[in-house]
Amino acid sequence: MPDATSTTIQLPPGFTAHVANIGIKDTTDDFVVVAADHVCAAAGVFTRSRFAGPSVVVSREHIDDLNARAVVVISKNANVATGATGLHNAREVVGGVARALGCHPEEVLIASTGVIGRQYPMDSVRAGLAALTWPFPTGDTAVTVHGVATGIMTTDTVAKFASAKIAGSDAVVVGVAKGVGMIEPDMATLITLMFTDAEVPAAALDIIFRSVIDRTFNCVSIDTDTSTSDTAIVLASGAAGPVDHTAFVAALFEVALSLTKQVARDGEGAEKLIEVLVDGARDDDQAKRVAKAIVNSPLVKTAVHGADPNWGRVAMAIGKCSDDVDIDQDDVVIRFGPYEAYPKQVDAAGLEALAEYLRGNEIQIHVSLGIDDGAATVWGCDLTDGYIRINADYTT
């Protein structure tokens, strides 16, 4: 998590931001544009939902050449399931941003998040676009990464942002994310935007970004529900020049991992972060599948929430992977933090120690399958009555 002083983190050289309230739903910021000084290398991955929103459709088209100038985010309205009108409105938004920047609409990406099935309030959106000028006013150049992260929030309780220096250079990677519910990423995540001043060839950036997303955001789950608007984008301005490939990958991964954990920790109603490590699997895919079965189990989530040392919930979740016929219960080891719960018999003192561990706010469940050397780590959160209340009242 960023510390208190990190609220002053700036975007990397080559990028500036405009953050405003244009009246999408309430008086909080809901309109964000982050723009580069020029067209730069870009990559993105998106939801595979069959109800993907117009923002996803447009951004997929525009990022196909792995270049972009800017990204615009409208929060508190997903503009999903809005038909031809919704698609037209999404294109009008990117067109308006492009006019302000003096670039082609195809160089602008868009993301939206919020309630499904409602059209943008286009009068408000048009007024917001009309107020957008380039270069952004002097005051806007001081918009921090925290400000950008705040502008894309919906039901998030905290802004999610992170930064990392690229070793051996002055270049940095910064990122923001939003999301607390409807999180079971499928080739992307909710909304996450990353920016770097490193010079990275577009084709290489695309490969690196997809790999990093797969090892971070694609390993987080709050409630097994895949968003219709999942969008992950990275832009590289190149202002700092070339950097070491390995160092760049490490910095991008560091930022993505931090954001992943922040998303999991801020799950709707969440009180505890759950990390599930599965090793000894046939391969990494099997490890990830088993880990997801554990972290997504409502019974595991509620046991963690109540600090109930019922390790049988984890055994049950592993057993649900019935197609993985090479999993043999006699070879499996289940641990909570440093405490082995199976196959070692846990006595009364052991159960009390386990319960005390579960009262913490960060819980690790470690399962070894005893098959081969495949491994994966995923993140999620406990299930509380707060989750039910937030989602029962979401549109009202």
Side-chain angles (χ1 to χ4, degrees):
M1 289 283 286
D3 59 37
T5 60
S6 64
T7 57
T8 61
I9 293 172
Q10 302 293 314
L11 289 164
F15 296 100
T16 51
H18 171 86
V19 179
N21 171 264
I22 60 173
I24 297 296
K25 182 178 181 181
D26 52 35
T27 59
T28 58
D29 289 337
D30 49 29
F31 181 71
V32 175
V33 180
V34 179
D37 296 337
H38 54 80
V39 175
C40 56
V45 286
F46 307 91
T47 184
R48 293 170 64 182
S49 167
R50 299 307 301 166
F51 257 83
S55 296
V56 170
V57 173
V58 171
S59 288
R60 276 178 177 151
E61 294 174 356
H62 289 189
I63 208 168
D64 187 57
D65 62 358
L66 301 181
N67 288 288
R69 172 79 185 278
V71 56
V72 53
V73 181
I74 291 179
S75 65
K76 304 174 183 68
N77 184 312
N79 188 30
V80 169
T82 49
T85 299
L87 181 59
H88 173 82
N89 290 339
R91 296 195 190 282
E92 183 176 341
V93 172
V94 299
V97 173
R99 282 192 298 276
L101 298 179
C103 68
H104 298 294
E106 292 77 15
E107 295 168 354
V108 177
L109 309 175
I110 182 171
S112 299
T113 175
V115 178
I116 291 171
R118 296 182 181 176
Q119 299 287 351
Y120 285 151
M122 288 306 295
D123 288 345
S124 297
V125 172
R126 289 175 185 127
L129 290 169
L132 191 65
T133 60
W134 181 262
F136 294 148
T138 303
D140 285 347
T141 62
V143 170
T144 63
V145 174
H146 178 268
V148 173
T150 301
I152 67 174
M153 289 169 56
T154 51
T155 57
D156 306 65
T157 65
V158 294
K160 302 171 179 67
F161 55 99
S163 68
K165 190 174 183 296
I166 300 173
S169 74
D170 294 326
V172 297
V173 176
V174 303
V176 300
K178 70 78 51 186
V180 290
M182 198 186 291
I183 300 174
E184 172 70 14
D186 192 0
M187 291 306 293
T189 182
L190 319 102
I191 292 179
T192 184
L193 311 174
M194 300 186 200
F195 307 95
T196 180
D197 52 343
E199 182 182 323
V200 185
L205 182 66
D206 183 54
I207 293 171
I208 294 167
F209 190 58
R210 290 178 181 278
S211 173
V212 166
I213 291 295
D214 194 50
R215 292 182 289 135
T216 55
F217 286 110
N218 269 353
C219 291
V220 64
S221 181
I222 301 302
D223 48 23
T224 79
D225 288 332
T226 296
S227 169
T228 57
S229 306
D230 290 344
T231 298
I233 290 169
V234 61
L235 275 69
S237 72
V243 297
D244 178 75
H245 176 90
T246 301
F248 173 69
V249 173
L252 190 68
F253 179 81
E254 179 182 340
V255 169
L257 181 59
S258 174
L259 294 173
T260 296
K261 290 183 176 181
Q262 291 177 53
V263 165
R265 188 178 283 108
D266 194 33
E268 287 174 335
E271 296 178 5
K272 301 180 182 183
L273 172 69
I274 302 175
E275 178 180 276
V276 180
L277 166 63
V278 174
D279 56 21
R282 177 176 68 250
D283 51 35
D284 294 350
D285 286 343
Q286 183 186 51
K288 188 173 181 179
R289 184 164 54 252
V290 174
K292 282 288 191 74
I294 296 168
V295 83
N296 283 334
S297 166
L299 293 179
V300 171
K301 287 173 173 288
T302 49
V304 170
H305 174 66
D308 179 7
N310 186 352
W311 56 266
R313 303 302 198 193
V314 176
M316 172 278 303
I318 299 168
K320 288 194 300 183
C321 301
S322 55
D323 289 338
D324 291 280
V325 295
D326 51 350
I327 295 177
D328 186 335
Q329 60 182 292
D330 292 335
D331 297 327
V332 173
V333 179
I334 299 173
R335 305 177 186 88
F336 289 81
Y339 301 103
E340 182 176 323
Y342 174 86
K344 180 182 177 180
Q345 294 297 308
V346 183
D347 58 17
L351 287 174
E352 178 51 39
L354 181 53
E356 181 61 29
Y357 173 75
L358 290 171
R359 293 186 186 103
N361 57 18
E362 294 191 11
I363 308 301
Q364 184 191 67
I365 300 172
H366 179 188
V367 172
S368 298
L369 297 181
I371 301 172
D372 207 324
D373 60 359
T377 303
V378 304
W379 297 270
C381 64
D382 58 341
L383 180 59
T384 72
D385 55 356
Y387 177 88
I388 297 171
R389 192 73 273 139
I390 289 169
N391 286 285
D393 300 335
Y394 185 66
T395 63
T396 56

